[in-house]
Amino acid sequence: MKRAVSLRGVRGAGAWVGAVGLALAGAWSGAALAGDLTGHVDLVSRYYLRGQTSTYGNSTPLGNAGADAPESDHVTPQWGADYAHESGFYAGYWGSTINYSYRQLGESYRDRSITDFQKDKSIENDLYAGYNGTLGDWGYSAGLTYYVYVNGAHSNAPESKLALSYGPVTLSAQTLLQDVVWGNQGDTYWSAVYTRALPYQLSFTATLGFYTYRKEGKYNGTEDTLSGTACGAGEAFIVNGCYAGKTPVGSAFRHLTLGLTQPIADTGLTWGAQFIVGGRNRFDVKQDNRAVVSLSYGF
């Protein structure tokens, strides 16, 4: 049950963000220097967040209608834009529809009578900025993402990002900075990404994701923080109640995602396919293996 989830990263490996668009050279007026602006619109067969294919909860999945994983269980539109300044500064935006309501989910923390999580479905908006630099053969990056949900409650939050790259490998850590219904302050998503160009303009990406969790938070843990009462043995608190099942863990392998992309001639379109090897969520519940396909248009 999604009584909890990220990268969202920006939504990163667990969500198919789509192709990077064709670069459009731009220039600031006045003293500012030129930069590159790209955009994309995508259709994905499913929206899985960082390997969460089955459930965010601590027991049997309730399904998407119960505000559970995946973020969207049908064909989903996504979109975004990125700006990269030659100084190393970058900024961008990524968005997606979601097939349930973070407003209903968040308000259910105080109103335990809420059971309809399909009302007022949410739109996720990821706003991010930071700096990319190099030191010899190494690359580094530091940035911040702010997650904003249209139709959301207790769901908006910032997340820091630090990354180090060498050749085709990038290592990164993304840390949630606030308690929200989908995570606890201090939760950190660790990822290792390997990219390789293949013949026929194919591009291969492998992403290994791992999480370290803060076990206790306002919306996820072992205590009903609204009433101040502890859950019973074999129960966990997830947004709006104590549920029977597994209890929180401090860390877990989250997913291995293998992906291919290829442009379609000179149309601006790119097809993509991913296979997600599911790991475990914050309650040590095994996630299913899943495949995702996408079609993206870059501009």
Side-chain angles (χ1 to χ4, degrees), residues 7-239:
L7 221 141
R8 49 242 133 22
V10 146
R11 274 313 231 183
W16 188 267
V17 180
V20 176
L22 301 175
L24 300 175
W28 296 104
S29 60
L33 300 175
D36 290 330
L37 179 66
T38 60
H40 61 90
V41 291
D42 320 301
L43 283 178
V44 297
S45 58
R46 297 288 189 276
Y47 174 16
Y48 296 118
L49 172 59
R50 294 176 178 172
Q52 296 273 88
T53 61
S54 303
T55 181
Y56 296 108
N58 66 335
S59 58
T60 304
L62 291 183
N64 189 264
D68 203 355
E71 294 292 84
S72 185
D73 58 359
H74 53 62
V75 175
T76 302
Q78 299 178 340
W79 56 89
D82 289 276
Y83 175 76
H85 194 271
E86 62 186 40
S87 67
F89 170 78
Y90 70 86
Y93 163 75
W94 182 87
S96 178
T97 59
I98 293 175
N99 194 43
Y100 57 85
S101 174
Y102 271 98
R103 172 178 292 171
Q104 293 291 90
L105 186 68
E107 290 180 351
S108 72
Y109 172 73
R110 295 188 181 278
D111 183 356
R112 304 293 167 87
S113 69
I114 293 177
T115 58
D116 180 7
F117 299 104
Q118 292 291 299
K119 178 182 177 181
D120 297 328
K121 293 180 182 180
S122 299
I123 298 175
E124 177 185 340
N125 302 276
D126 302 353
L127 307 171
Y128 50 93
Y131 179 82
N132 293 322
T134 58
L135 188 60
D137 294 332
W138 292 84
Y140 62 89
S141 179
L144 186 73
T145 301
Y146 198 84
Y147 301 110
V148 180
Y149 291 86
V150 175
N151 291 332
H154 308 300
S155 54
N156 298 349
E159 182 182 69
S160 64
K161 182 176 183 179
L162 298 173
L164 188 66
S165 62
Y166 185 84
V169 177
T170 299
L171 305 175
S172 65
Q174 295 167 249
T175 301
L176 187 62
L177 304 180
Q178 180 179 323
D179 282 345
V180 282
V181 293
W182 48 267
N184 293 341
Q185 180 181 2
D187 287 353
T188 300
Y189 173 65
W190 305 85
S191 64
V193 180
Y194 172 79
T195 57
R196 182 179 178 86
L198 300 176
Y200 305 105
Q201 294 184 289
L202 285 165
S203 179
F204 170 76
T205 303
T207 303
L208 182 66
F210 186 87
Y211 250 98
T212 51
Y213 297 105
R214 179 177 168 226
K215 292 184 179 181
E216 302 294 336
K218 184 174 182 179
Y219 305 101
N220 298 278
T222 58
E223 179 184 333
D224 185 329
T225 54
L226 184 63
S227 65
T229 58
C231 296
E235 292 184 337
F237 179 68
I238 312 171
V239 178

